[in-house]
Amino acid sequence: MWNKLNSLYGKVSAIFLLLLLIGAVQLRIFLQTSMEFAAEADQKLNHDLARDLAKHFEPFLADSLDEVGIGHSFHDLMVMNPRVELYLIDEAGGLLAYFADPIKIKRMVVDIAPVQTFLAADANAPRAIYGDDPRSPDKHKPSSATPVLIGGKQQGYL
């Protein structure tokens, strides 16, 4: 076996295999970096979106949670931009309102720590903050959040 590696053919084959391995590693790093960059850019572009949308929902939250009104607003907003998923959660992370097929919702409670981290972070934070995806039991997505008042008291997040 060592005789084959010492031959010119063996050396060329080993170099080719090494270059192929290095190329695969570079491709993996490139793909991972690209996905992180896209998530960070998406979050920066949408940093203030939740805060701006919360103003749209104020009439439906003034006295109590008007689920029908919020549902219609969620539908209208998601028709305009289907990439945006909207969830109204309570202070413990429980889903209060959402516009999705209930069968698609796999988590009724999300971790509140990423929401609090997002709210405490600067808009120019160097990395995207990932929160739980209610449509998956184990996936996370870059997300934005803002506190909302329900019945005049801070009781949740959009």
Side-chain angles (χ1 to χ4, degrees):
M1 167 128 178
W2 291 110
N3 289 341
K4 288 183 181 179
L5 286 177
N6 286 333
S7 71
L8 179 62
Y9 175 76
K11 290 177 183 177
V12 169
S13 296
I15 290 171
F16 180 73
L17 185 61
L18 182 64
L19 289 174
L20 193 62
L21 183 64
I22 289 171
V25 169
Q26 285 181 321
L27 181 63
R28 171 78 170 124
I29 291 170
F30 172 76
L31 291 174
Q32 183 67 31
T33 305
S34 296
M35 290 185 334
E36 288 176 14
F37 176 77
E40 181 183 337
D42 198 30
Q43 190 167 52
K44 283 184 180 180
L45 286 171
N46 294 321
H47 186 271
D48 298 327
L49 182 63
R51 185 193 65 219
D52 295 340
L53 289 177
K55 294 174 187 170
H56 181 77
F57 294 107
E58 285 176 359
F60 306 112
L61 303 171
D63 298 324
S64 64
L65 182 65
D66 178 2
E67 292 183 35
V68 174
I70 289 175
H72 289 301
S73 292
F74 275 15
H75 177 267
D76 294 344
L77 292 168
M78 291 179 77
V79 164
M80 285 187 253
N81 187 351
R83 288 189 60 215
V84 174
E85 294 178 19
L86 299 170
Y87 302 95
L88 183 63
I89 60 173
D90 63 23
E91 289 184 310
L95 266 62
L96 298 173
Y98 53 90
F99 182 77
D101 183 356
I103 295 172
K104 292 184 179 180
I105 299 297
K106 305 297 183 203
R107 294 185 209 207
M108 291 306 292
V109 178
V110 296
D111 184 12
I112 205 72
V115 171
Q116 294 167 339
T117 301
F118 176 83
L119 293 172
D122 178 20
N124 295 317
R127 302 192 72 111
I129 298 168
Y130 289 80
D132 291 342
D133 180 4
R135 294 181 183 219
S136 171
D138 57 354
K139 290 186 181 175
H140 303 327
K141 288 181 162 182
S143 53
S144 303
T146 193
V148 293
L149 302 175
I150 302 173
K153 297 184 286 189
Q154 202 303 203
Q155 294 184 349
Y157 303 95
L158 178 66

